[in-house]
Amino acid sequence: MEQQLFKKIRRHLNRGELSVAMKHIQPLLETVRSPRLYERFEKINQDYQLVIEYMAKGVDDPQREDVYRRLLKKADALLYNLENAIADRDVRAFSDAFSKVNRAHVDFPQIKSTLEQFVADVAMIELEPEEKQKILAENIYKEHQEFVDMVFDAIWVSDLWCEDDFAFCSQLILSPTIDSNDALLMTSALTLSLLFHFDMMKSETLRKVYTDATDIVLKQRALVGWALTLPEFTHLYDGLAPVVKVFCEDEDNCKQLAELQMQIYFCMNAENDHIEIQRDIMPNLMKNSNLKITRFGIEEKEDDELDDILHPDSQEKAMEEVEQSFQKMLDMQKSGADIYFGGFSQMKRFPFFYRVSNWFAPFDLHHPEIQSSVTKLSNNSLLSHLFDSGPFCDSDKYSFTLAMKSVIDKIPENMREMLDNSDALGPVMAPEEINTPAYKRRMYLQDLYRFFKLADARHEFRNPFAEGDNEEPKEAQELFLSNKLFKNTSIVGQIPTLCAFLVKRKKYNALDILLQSLDSHDINSSLYQGLVAMGKRDFFQAADSYAKALELEADNKTALQGYAKACYYSENFQRALEAYRQLSELAPGHLPTKKKYCICLIHTGQTEQAIKFLYQMDFDQPGDWSVVRILAWALLVAGKKEQAQNEYRRLIDGGTPSSEDYFNAGLCDWVVGDILGATVKLKKYMEHLTSNKSILADLLKEKELLSTYGITVNQIIMMADLLNRPAEE
C-alpha cells in the first residue's frame, strides 16, 4: 500500500487544504471502483462547491467555517474507508480478516453474549463427569478461539466508530462477565486499528479502559495503545487536545507516560543487547558448561580427571564466571533490556504466528494451537513456572512452548528433571516486581515490538518503534511524547528525567525534537538545548541556550560551564575568559578551568598574565605536560622564543608529545633560526597528516604568528616545498 501517499493526503487535510486532498483521493478512489465511496466523494465536492459559490456572491455565512471543518472530517472518514478498501484488495492479512468477518455477520450484542457464554461454559466443565471434561474443554476452547480471533479481526479492520460503538465496546472490555484474556485481546485489536488510521472513538475507548480498569495488565495494555496511537495530525480532531491535557493533569499518568517512553527505547535496543549477550556473556556460559550439543541431542561432557589434578580450582573459577555472566544478564533485564529478543526472534515461524491475533494473545495453557505441546510436556512443571513467573513476554512464552515440543525427547533425563526446577528458565521474577505496572507494560511492549519486527503483516501499520523515516529525517516516530498534543501540559514536569535518559543513550536528535515540541522555557530545558547544540557543534546556538539558563539562574555552575565551553569553541574568547574567571572563583583548585582561563588570556592579548599563572601551575603541578604545552605556546606568542624552545625541548624529551607538539616545536625552532631542527620536527608532524591535508595549509594558518618573527608568506611556501622534497637516497 502507498502509505506515504495516504500520509501526504492526511497532511493536506490537517492544513485545511480540502481541494488538494480531494484531488489526491480521486485517482485512488477510481482504482477500487466502489459506487458507495464514489458517491460520498461527489457529495463532499458538491457541498464544497456550494460553499465557494456563496462565498463568491459575497454572502455572509456565519456557519461557513463550521461547514468547512465538517467537510474536512468527512474527507478524513472517506480516506479511512478508502484505505480499508485498498488494504482489503492488496494486503493478505486484511483480505483474510475482511473475509472472516463478512462470513460471520456478528454485531456487538452478539459478541457480548457469546463471550459471556464462554465464561459460563468453562465454569460448568467441572460439573461434567471426569472422563468427559478434557474433550469438552478442548471443544469449548477451540470454538472460543475461533470466535475471539474473528472478534479481533472485526475490530482492527472496522470502519470509523460512532459514540454508541465507543460506549458499548468500552463497557464490554471492562465487564467482569467476560474472560480477562478476551478483554486484553480486544484492547490490542483497537491498538492495531488505530495504528492503521486514527479514530477518535476508538482512541477514547482505550483511554476509558485505562482510566476505569482495575486490572493492572488491562490498564497498561490500554495505556500503551492510547499513547502510541495519538495522531500526528491533530487539527481534524477538535476534542483531542483537551482530553490529553486533562489526562496529563494526573501526576501518576505523566509519570507512567514518561516511563513508557523510556521503555520504548529499551525495546528498540533489543538487537544491540543481543549482540552484547552473544559477544560478552554466551561465550562464558558455553565455555564453562558441562553440556555439548550433538546431532543426536544434548549430551553431558565427561569429567577430565587430569584437569582436576592439574587445576583443582578450575571448577570453582568456571562457576564464578557463569554466575557473573548470569548476573550481568539479570542486571540488564532489571534495567529494562529486552534480553530474550535475539533468541526468540528465530522462533516466530511456527504456524501459530500466521494469525495476527496470536501475536497479542495473553499466554494461556488452554490455547488450542499449543495443545499438542502442552500434552507432551504435561508431566513437567515447566509450563506452570513459565506461566506464573517466567521472565518472557507472552509471545515468547508461546514460542518456547512450541519449540520445547520438538526438543524435549532429545534432552538428557537429568536435564529434564532440572526443568522441573523453578530456576530452569533463568532468573525468575519476584512477585512484587511482576505485579508492578512498569513490568506489565514492559512485557506487552515486547509483544508489540516482536510484531513490528517480525510479523508478515507489520508493514501495513505505523510502526511506533521506528526512528523517523527518509522523507522526514527530523521526525522521531518512536518519541510519542513529542506529539504537539502534549505541548503546554503537565508532562513538562517529566522533562528532566526524559532528557537525562536520552542524553545517557546519546539520542540527541530525539532530545532536540522533544525540547522543541514541548516548548518548555525552564532552566533544565535551556541546559539540555545547550547540550544538543554542543553535540551538533553549533557553538553559537549552544552559547545562546546556556546564556538563557544563566538569565534564569545566574549562579548555575552547569550553565556557566556550558557557556564557557561554547564561547571557547566558537572563538569568542573574551566571553569565555569572563566565564572561566567566574568558574575559577567558584572552584579555585580546578586545574582544567585554570588551563582554559590561561588559553583565553593568550587569545585576548593578555599573554604575560597567562605566563605568570602557567609558571605557578607548573611549579605546583610538576609533570603535568598539558601545562608545559600551554606555557611553551604562550612564550612563543609573547616573543620569548628561546624560553619557548627550552619548554618544547622539555616537553618532547620528557613527556608524551603529540603530533601538534612536534608542529609547534618545529615553528619554535624555525623562528629561533634552527632550520634543521625545524624540518626534523615538522616532518615528524607530517607523518600523522591524512591524505586530504597539506603541510602548507597548516603553516599558513600560523602566518600571523610567524610574521611577528619576520617570516613572510613566501618563506612559508618555500618551507613547505622543502618539507615536501623527496628524501635523498
Side-chain angles (χ1 to χ4, degrees), residues 521-531 533-534 538-567 570 572 575-576 579 582:
H521 300 289
D522 63 4
I523 187 166
N524 286 312
S525 296
S526 296
L527 289 173
Y528 282 115
Q529 283 167 348
L531 186 61
M534 289 295 288
D538 186 349
F539 303 121
F540 293 101
Q541 179 59 51
D544 184 58
S545 296
Y546 286 123
K548 288 178 181 176
L550 289 169
E551 289 174 7
L552 295 169
E553 196 176 307
D555 59 348
N556 187 288
K557 189 175 179 181
T558 302
L560 190 58
Q561 286 173 330
Y563 180 72
K565 192 174 180 181
C567 290
S570 62
N572 191 333
R575 289 186 178 180
Q582 293 179 50

Side-chain angles (χ1 to χ4, degrees), residues 187-200 202-204 206-207 221-234 237 240 260 264 444 448 452 461-464 477 480 483 485-486:
T187 303
S188 291
L190 283 167
T191 300
L192 207 57
S193 179
L194 287 162
L195 287 169
F196 183 65
H197 193 131
F198 184 76
D199 178 346
M200 185 70 177
K202 289 175 186 172
S203 179
E204 271 296 278
L206 288 177
R207 186 194 61 79
R221 197 172 277 221
L223 176 66
V224 170
W226 179 78
L228 268 56
T229 60
L230 289 172
E232 176 187 358
F233 307 115
T234 58
Y237 313 107
L240 196 52
L260 169 58
I264 285 173
Y444 180 53
L448 268 177
F452 281 100
F461 303 93
R462 179 173 63 81
N463 184 354
Q477 293 183 51
F480 73 88
N483 192 307
L485 288 165
F486 290 105

Side-chain angles (χ1 to χ4, degrees), residues 156-432:
W156 74 267
V157 299
S158 61
D159 287 338
L160 290 171
W161 281 10
C162 62
E163 290 192 11
D164 289 343
D165 296 326
F166 151 70
F168 191 94
C169 197
S170 57
Q171 289 175 11
L172 178 60
I173 293 174
L174 291 165
S175 172
T177 61
I178 71 169
D179 188 80
S180 60
N181 284 352
D182 296 343
L184 293 171
L185 203 55
M186 286 190 285
T187 303
S188 291
L190 283 167
T191 300
L192 207 57
S193 179
L194 287 162
L195 287 169
F196 183 65
H197 193 131
F198 184 76
D199 178 346
M200 185 70 177
M201 288 297 101
K202 289 175 186 172
S203 179
E204 271 296 278
T205 303
L206 288 177
R207 186 194 61 79
K208 183 170 178 57
V209 169
Y210 168 75
T211 303
D212 295 352
T214 55
D215 179 74
I216 296 177
V217 181
L218 182 58
K219 282 182 77 74
Q220 292 308 313
R221 197 172 277 221
L223 176 66
V224 170
W226 179 78
L228 268 56
T229 60
L230 289 172
E232 176 187 358
F233 307 115
T234 58
H235 289 174
L236 296 172
Y237 313 107
D238 303 335
L240 196 52
V243 167
V244 175
K245 188 173 181 64
V246 171
F247 186 88
C248 291
E249 287 173 0
D250 186 302
E251 186 178 347
D252 185 60
N253 287 347
C254 290
K255 183 181 177 183
Q256 293 204 48
L257 287 172
E259 288 177 354
L260 169 58
Q261 182 65 82
M262 293 185 281
Q263 286 175 317
I264 285 173
Y265 282 104
F266 279 122
C267 283
M268 292 170 61
N269 202 51
E271 288 171 289
N272 290 332
D273 290 334
H274 176 62
I275 292 171
E276 182 181 348
I277 290 168
Q278 293 296 105
R279 183 188 64 229
D280 301 335
I281 297 176
M282 290 309 296
N284 274 339
L285 294 179
M286 296 303 295
K287 180 181 69 176
N288 296 310
S289 171
N290 69 331
L291 302 173
K292 61 180 178 179
I293 300 173
T294 73
R295 61 192 180 95
F296 302 109
I298 302 172
E299 299 175 359
E300 282 190 288
K301 298 176 184 175
E302 292 183 10
D303 292 336
D304 189 337
E305 295 179 5
L306 180 61
D307 190 61
D308 290 342
I309 296 170
L310 297 176
H311 307 287
D313 61 341
S314 61
Q315 285 191 348
E316 188 178 333
K317 287 182 179 178
M319 198 51 141
E320 234 176 78
E321 289 182 9
V322 169
E323 287 176 359
Q324 288 172 359
S325 297
F326 269 121
Q327 186 59 46
K328 187 172 182 180
M329 285 181 69
L330 183 59
D331 292 342
M332 288 175 69
Q333 186 182 33
K334 284 184 176 179
S335 72
D338 185 357
I339 63 173
Y340 297 111
F341 172 77
F344 283 107
S345 63
Q346 309 301 318
M347 301 184 193
K348 302 301 181 187
R349 305 315 300 174
F350 293 107
F352 177 87
F353 293 105
Y354 294 171
R355 289 182 192 253
V356 174
S357 64
N358 281 344
W359 288 88
F360 307 98
F363 184 70
D364 186 353
L365 288 171
H366 295 102
H367 196 298
E369 293 179 68
I370 64 167
Q371 283 313 295
S372 59
S373 298
V374 172
T375 301
K376 196 161 189 179
L377 299 168
S378 60
N379 295 326
N380 195 288
S381 60
L382 174 67
L383 291 184
S384 61
H385 294 318
L386 182 69
F387 183 80
D388 294 334
S389 55
F392 309 144
C393 64
D394 288 324
S395 176
D396 288 353
K397 288 178 181 178
Y398 281 116
S399 293
F400 186 86
T401 304
L402 292 164
M404 281 299 294
K405 175 190 172 184
S406 59
V407 301
I408 192 70
D409 293 334
K410 299 176 183 177
I411 296 177
E413 183 61 34
N414 59 343
M415 273 196 70
R416 270 185 272 179
E417 290 174 5
M418 184 187 72
L419 290 174
D420 259 339
N421 190 302
S422 60
D423 296 328
L425 299 174
V428 175
M429 310 304 293
E432 57 270 20

Side-chain angles (χ1 to χ4, degrees), residues 487-533:
K487 187 177 180 180
N488 301 322
T489 70
S490 298
I491 199 71
V492 295
Q494 299 295 325
I495 280 184
T497 302
L498 287 167
C499 290
F501 177 87
L502 292 171
V503 167
K504 186 176 180 181
R505 281 149 189 82
K506 299 182 180 179
K507 299 285 184 182
Y508 295 115
N509 181 56
L511 176 60
D512 191 19
I513 291 170
L514 178 67
L515 293 169
Q516 288 182 36
S517 62
L518 295 181
D519 195 24
S520 176
H521 300 289
D522 63 4
I523 187 166
N524 286 312
S525 296
S526 296
L527 289 173
Y528 282 115
Q529 283 167 348
L531 186 61
V532 169

Side-chain angles (χ1 to χ4, degrees), residues 28-255:
L28 291 171
L29 197 58
E30 290 170 354
T31 65
V32 298
R33 299 178 181 178
S34 168
R36 181 176 60 87
L37 294 180
Y38 200 81
E39 184 180 333
R40 287 169 57 188
F41 174 82
E42 287 296 315
K43 185 69 169 66
I44 294 170
N45 268 337
Q46 289 168 9
D47 289 347
Y48 182 49
Q49 290 308 313
L50 283 174
V51 172
I52 294 296
E53 286 174 16
Y54 277 104
M55 188 175 179
K57 293 175 182 178
V59 177
D60 184 16
D61 183 2
Q63 301 299 316
R64 183 178 293 139
E65 179 67 24
D66 290 339
V67 170
Y68 191 70
R69 291 189 67 83
R70 283 199 296 273
L71 290 174
L72 287 169
K73 290 181 179 180
K74 286 182 179 180
D76 182 59
L78 173 64
L79 186 64
Y80 189 112
N81 296 130
L82 179 59
E83 280 187 282
N84 270 357
I86 293 176
D88 184 15
R89 183 193 67 194
D90 297 343
V91 182
R92 175 69 180 272
F94 278 80
S95 58
D96 288 349
F98 277 113
S99 176
K100 195 184 305 179
V101 172
N102 290 335
R103 288 196 306 269
H105 296 295
V106 295
D107 55 17
F108 273 138
Q110 184 180 347
I111 291 173
K112 183 176 188 292
S113 63
T114 305
L115 295 181
E116 289 176 337
Q117 185 60 48
F118 166 71
V119 175
D121 290 343
V122 170
M124 297 296 288
I125 291 174
E126 292 184 2
L127 301 179
E128 296 293 329
E130 191 172 340
E131 62 273 12
K132 290 185 178 181
Q133 286 184 11
K134 183 179 179 182
I135 296 174
L136 183 61
E138 286 179 357
N139 290 333
I140 289 173
Y141 279 103
K142 184 176 181 181
E143 288 179 12
H144 177 68
Q145 183 59 42
E146 291 297 328
F147 182 77
V148 79
D149 179 62
M150 184 278 301
V151 171
F152 181 93
D153 288 346
I155 291 175
W156 74 267
V157 299
S158 61
D159 287 338
L160 290 171
W161 281 10
C162 62
E163 290 192 11
D164 289 343
D165 296 326
F166 151 70
F168 191 94
C169 197
S170 57
Q171 289 175 11
L172 178 60
I173 293 174
L174 291 165
S175 172
T177 61
I178 71 169
D179 188 80
S180 60
N181 284 352
D182 296 343
L184 293 171
L185 203 55
M186 286 190 285
T187 303
S188 291
L190 283 167
T191 300
L192 207 57
S193 179
L194 287 162
L195 287 169
F196 183 65
H197 193 131
F198 184 76
D199 178 346
M200 185 70 177
M201 288 297 101
K202 289 175 186 172
S203 179
E204 271 296 278
T205 303
L206 288 177
R207 186 194 61 79
K208 183 170 178 57
V209 169
Y210 168 75
T211 303
D212 295 352
T214 55
D215 179 74
I216 296 177
V217 181
L218 182 58
K219 282 182 77 74
Q220 292 308 313
R221 197 172 277 221
L223 176 66
V224 170
W226 179 78
L228 268 56
T229 60
L230 289 172
E232 176 187 358
F233 307 115
T234 58
H235 289 174
L236 296 172
Y237 313 107
D238 303 335
L240 196 52
V243 167
V244 175
K245 188 173 181 64
V246 171
F247 186 88
C248 291
E249 287 173 0
D250 186 302
E251 186 178 347
D252 185 60
N253 287 347
C254 290
K255 183 181 177 183

